[in-house]
Amino acid sequence: MRATFNSWDTKYKQPFGATRANTSVKWAVEVDEEIQEITLWLTKNNESPVAYPMTFNDESKMYETSVKISSSGLYYYFNIKQNDQFYFLERSQDGFGDREIT
């Protein structure tokens, strides 16, 4: 399975970069094969993560969700479920916008 998300590309995250509070952010992930589900998780230091299920968009062929960001200092990651196993889409080792499955 290959999943693609690049925070530096507005195809996957709009708007680009840090966002102000009360701004809606669109997230999208491309997956090259059928999966059971994908979830965006948002969290802050010393807080529990909050799940945002993503839905498949037939037009873009990507899993998408929009979240109104109400505070600053958030971290995010994606959780993919395939064949009853969970995978995480996390920052790639080069530390830039791409993600890789772990």
Side-chain angles (χ1 to χ4, degrees):
M1 168 183 37
R2 178 170 168 75
T4 305
F5 173 82
N6 185 333
S7 63
W8 291 14
D9 185 337
T10 56
K11 175 181 173 181
Y12 301 102
K13 182 177 171 285
Q14 290 182 33
F16 172 78
T19 56
R20 296 181 185 268
N22 299 314
T23 299
S24 185
V25 178
K26 179 183 170 189
W27 311 79
V29 176
E30 264 181 297
V31 182
D32 69 350
E33 55 189 79
E34 191 173 324
I35 61 171
Q36 289 170 276
E37 63 186 52
I38 183 167
T39 305
L40 165 69
W41 291 88
L42 295 176
T43 188
K44 292 178 85 165
N45 285 338
N46 303 315
E47 290 188 12
S48 296
V50 177
Y52 296 92
M54 301 180 81
T55 56
F56 188 74
N57 180 322
D58 286 321
E59 282 186 36
S60 68
K61 304 294 184 207
M62 293 194 286
Y63 290 86
E64 300 175 348
T65 192
S66 290
V67 179
K68 188 172 184 178
I69 304 299
S70 59
S71 65
S72 61
L74 293 173
Y75 300 94
Y76 64 91
Y77 60 93
F78 302 94
N79 180 256
I80 300 169
K81 184 178 181 184
Q82 181 188 43
N83 300 323
D84 293 323
Q85 290 189 314
F86 289 95
Y87 301 89
F88 292 91
L89 190 58
E90 300 179 311
R91 182 177 296 203
S92 63
Q93 291 185 16
D94 67 11
F96 291 99
D98 291 327
R99 304 286 179 200
E100 58 189 28
I101 294 176
T102 58

